[in-house]
Amino acid sequence: MKRLVQVALVVLLALTVVFFLIRLSGDPTALFLPPDAPKEQIDEYRKLLGFDRPILIQYADFMSNAVQGDFGQSLRSRESALPLVLERLPATFQLAISALILSLLIAIPLGVLSAYKRNSVFDRIGVALTVLGQAVPSFWLGLLLIFTFAATFNVLPSGGGGTAMHLILPTITLAAYSVARFTRFTRSTMLDVLRKDYIRTAKASGVPTFRLVARFALKNSLIPIITLVALDLGTLLGGAVITEVVFAWPGIGRLLMQSLMNRDFPIVLAGVFIIALIYAVINFIADLLYAYVNPQIRVK
């Protein structure tokens, strides 16, 4: 129950902060009227949109409607904001989950191997990939992949969505940083566990290497890894904005970027609500997984 209250507070604070921040970008009324529109028409349109009222009154009205799932209508399309965002959610989830799975498939074996073969050639390769993955900006990597595989060799599409081929380049781009983080973190936690007395005892008792690493060492390293996975999935959902823009991927990130440029406030707030809610719920699930992995937490 305590965690559920925290989930609600996180979503509430995220909406509050973004509501006031986007108001700093200015009045969007001028974007929807001709440049030579008379002042009377501008004032009338501002009143129609509700921007003539004090900002605290606007905030109170927004929150009272938001708790009922009503984020207003898009200022451009005049359609309900939340359904427009939800339409893009499957594409963003598809990209984020694909990037997360790719990250785990590469990073955990590489991190475990780097820790078990410390100071070997495998360890050096793992460290080099970690440094490279964290140093390369995602937008630059995306453009480089487009230039190589779409423009030069013409084997993959440069953007858009709809097929598995369209998913390959944005997934690699979005997963690159997560691979580096997971590899470094897995290596670090595995090194700590491999130094424990019970690991040395099991090794001296003749426990096979695979069983020693997979059953004893890796299992006891899972709690901090679960924490990072939960946080990283939320980060991937939010951080997909740049990747979706680079590859014209039809997800929430691209919609939010377009809405920010157009000052379409209801779409932005609905998108922030969905991302914040998903992020908070993922961390709530991670808390439940801790108790499953570590019985001591259940006792506490």
Side-chain angles (χ1 to χ4, degrees):
M1 293 302 297
K2 193 182 205 178
R3 291 290 189 272
L4 285 175
V5 171
Q6 290 176 353
V7 168
L9 287 176
V10 165
V11 176
L12 175 64
L13 289 174
L15 283 176
T16 300
V17 171
V18 174
F19 178 88
F20 287 102
L21 282 178
I22 60 177
R23 287 304 192 274
L24 296 177
S25 65
D27 190 341
T29 306
L31 296 177
F32 304 102
L33 293 174
D36 57 348
K39 185 177 183 303
E40 293 78 12
Q41 185 179 1
I42 295 175
D43 292 340
E44 183 180 351
Y45 195 67
R46 289 184 73 249
K47 185 176 182 180
L48 178 65
L49 295 178
F51 292 126
D52 61 322
R53 298 172 299 165
I55 190 169
L56 292 179
I57 300 298
Q58 295 182 45
Y59 171 74
D61 288 345
F62 164 73
M63 291 305 300
S64 64
N65 292 325
V67 296
Q68 304 174 55
D70 181 11
F71 289 84
Q73 292 183 332
S74 167
L75 300 181
R76 284 199 170 272
S77 65
R78 307 308 299 170
E79 298 180 59
S80 184
L82 189 58
L84 287 176
V85 172
L86 293 177
E87 285 177 6
R88 303 290 189 100
L89 186 59
T92 296
F93 256 119
Q94 183 184 22
L95 178 58
I97 296 296
S98 299
L100 182 64
I101 292 174
L102 179 63
S103 301
L104 294 175
L105 289 177
I106 296 174
I108 289 183
L110 187 58
V112 170
L113 186 61
S114 295
Y116 192 76
K117 300 285 188 179
R118 188 180 181 185
N119 297 325
S120 67
V121 63
F122 299 106
D123 189 23
R124 293 189 180 92
I125 292 174
V127 171
L129 290 176
T130 297
V131 174
L132 186 63
Q134 291 181 309
V136 175
S138 59
F139 70 89
W140 184 85
L141 177 60
L143 294 175
L144 182 63
L145 291 175
I146 290 173
F147 175 77
T148 304
F149 294 100
T152 304
F153 296 106
N154 196 27
V155 293
L156 291 172
S158 61
T163 67
M165 299 296 287
H166 289 90
L167 187 62
I168 295 175
L169 292 184
T171 296
I172 295 173
T173 301
L174 191 59
Y177 185 76
S178 296
V179 168
R181 290 183 67 197
F182 285 147
T183 301
R184 178 177 59 82
F185 202 74
T186 303
R187 179 182 183 276
S188 176
T189 54
M190 282 292 296
L191 284 175
D192 289 338
V193 172
L194 288 173
R195 295 190 187 104
K196 301 293 184 182
D197 290 338
Y198 69 89
I199 294 293
R200 288 197 291 265
T201 301
K203 190 174 182 179
S205 301
V207 175
T209 300
F210 181 81
R211 186 183 177 193
L212 177 71
V213 172
R215 182 173 179 181
F216 296 101
L218 182 58
K219 184 177 180 180
N220 289 296
S221 303
L222 283 180
I223 288 183
I225 293 175
I226 289 173
T227 304
L228 187 62
V229 168
L231 292 173
D232 208 69
L233 181 55
T235 303
L236 288 172
L237 288 169
V241 173
I242 296 176
T243 303
E244 288 183 3
V245 171
V246 170
F247 291 96
W249 184 259
I252 291 180
R254 186 163 178 252
L255 176 65
L256 286 181
M257 183 63 71
Q258 293 171 337
S259 300
L260 280 170
M261 298 296 291
N262 296 327
R263 297 183 192 173
D264 198 340
F265 297 160
I267 296 289
V268 174
L269 289 166
V272 169
F273 167 75
I274 293 297
I275 292 176
L277 181 63
I278 293 172
Y279 192 92
V281 169
I282 288 171
N283 281 275
F284 174 72
I285 294 173
D287 289 337
L288 300 181
L289 289 176
Y290 296 159
Y292 176 76
V293 173
N294 189 346
Q296 291 180 346
I297 295 178
R298 289 201 298 270
V299 173
K300 292 178 182 179

